[in-house]
Amino acid sequence: MDYFEAYQSCSLFGALRYFANIEDSVCVINGPSGCSFYARNAVVNLNGFFESLSEVKIPHIFTVDFTEKDVIFGNEERLERALSDIIQKYQPKLIVVFNCCVSEIIGTDIDQIAKDLSERENNTKVIAVHSAGFKGDQRHGMKLAAQLLFDNIFQKRIGQINTVKDKVNILGDFDYFNRSTKELVEKLKKIGISNITQVPGSCSIDELYAAPDASLNIITCQNASRYLAELMKAKFGIPYIGKGFDLYGLDNCFKSYLSLYQFFGKDTLELEQEYKETKNALNSYKSILAGKHAIIVAGTRRSLGYAAILKELGMNVDLIFCENIDTFIKREEYLRYSENVLLNVRIDDLAYQIKRINPDIILTTLPEMVAPNQYIPRLSDDFAGFSGCLRMAEYISNYSQSGQENKMVAIKN
């Protein structure tokens, strides 16, 4: 097959999302305004800024706005002037410069520009990212960004590590509001762990420099953070836990929280009681949902996590569609929840399966993939943690009882 309908973003977006939420930082895309517009909009959307009811600080994501002249003659001088102007106006502690496809092809030397600026500007660190979209999808961009974060920030601490017993890094939650890790943070604070850094989420440069002092890394997304966790374990000896999808599903969450409590030597009696109470509450929805048929269309951690919740509600997961590669999570993980699994296949195949299965419910984080079928989109509060399981159960049961199941009407996300 030499063609397909795109449903994955590129390396530029993956790398941009990795760095965008760091405080006192600026991102500069060395390319045309089109690349920058769509990448910036996607970051802003996924951060949840559109649903925010309070004032938020939108990430500074700029572009040099490539012209034909830049493509023909190069744009190093324009880029240097732009970066100097940004430093003078915003005085950021970090500037991240991203090459896109065009600037990478013509060979803009962002490495030298970043090196010269970092040496000239004592208070600003400049990092160059060769994030051309043709090099890979968003996962490639995330891995590239993780390596650069490690090389340019974490490596500075080698030989100067001062491990803090109750310090934890949460790896991989790029959401500005940290919606998928809210309950995890609450659980950590409940057992006295308050020194928590979201890497590289809503954190400061100083917090990132101190991240190697942590006693534990918690993975919340395999594609976004497993590689970084392995780097930090190899260089700093920091252990890590988490499969990425284990913040979703009651049993998954319980095992994940249990491992945290045990790691820090905390009593688990209260946690076990909360698990039992949540399970009883979850069982109350089974009379409504047991036997219903569902299709899940989502990314890696949520496709597996949502499937776990639906199974706990007694529902049949007739299909899982996911844009996954088996670097960290094998196909067998998906087959635990459904006999019908589509990984990295054509959208036409998904459309055929939806029509063939005719499910009661389609649960998705990728609404453009399933339109015009009626579907249940992700809530802004997400479905992570014990509370997320109950939130999903209530959400789906209300939808099920409304009589709207499986009608060919698109719901706006």
Side-chain angles (χ1 to χ4, degrees), residues 118-150:
S118 291
E119 292 175 352
R120 191 164 67 240
E121 302 288 343
N122 295 328
N123 297 322
T124 302
K125 174 72 176 176
V126 185
I127 297 176
V129 187
H130 291 271
S131 48
F134 57 75
K135 291 188 174 182
D137 62 15
Q138 65 183 29
R139 290 166 297 210
H140 175 271
M142 289 177 180
K143 183 177 180 181
L144 174 63
Q147 185 70 62
L148 289 169
L149 181 68
F150 183 83

Side-chain angles (χ1 to χ4, degrees), residues 38 64 67 80 94 106 130 158 210 247 271 293 302 318 351 388:
Y38 288 106
V64 295
T67 65
E80 287 187 56
L94 174 68
I106 68 173
H130 291 271
I158 289 181
L247 293 182
L271 178 67
H293 294 266
R302 288 191 174 89
D318 293 332

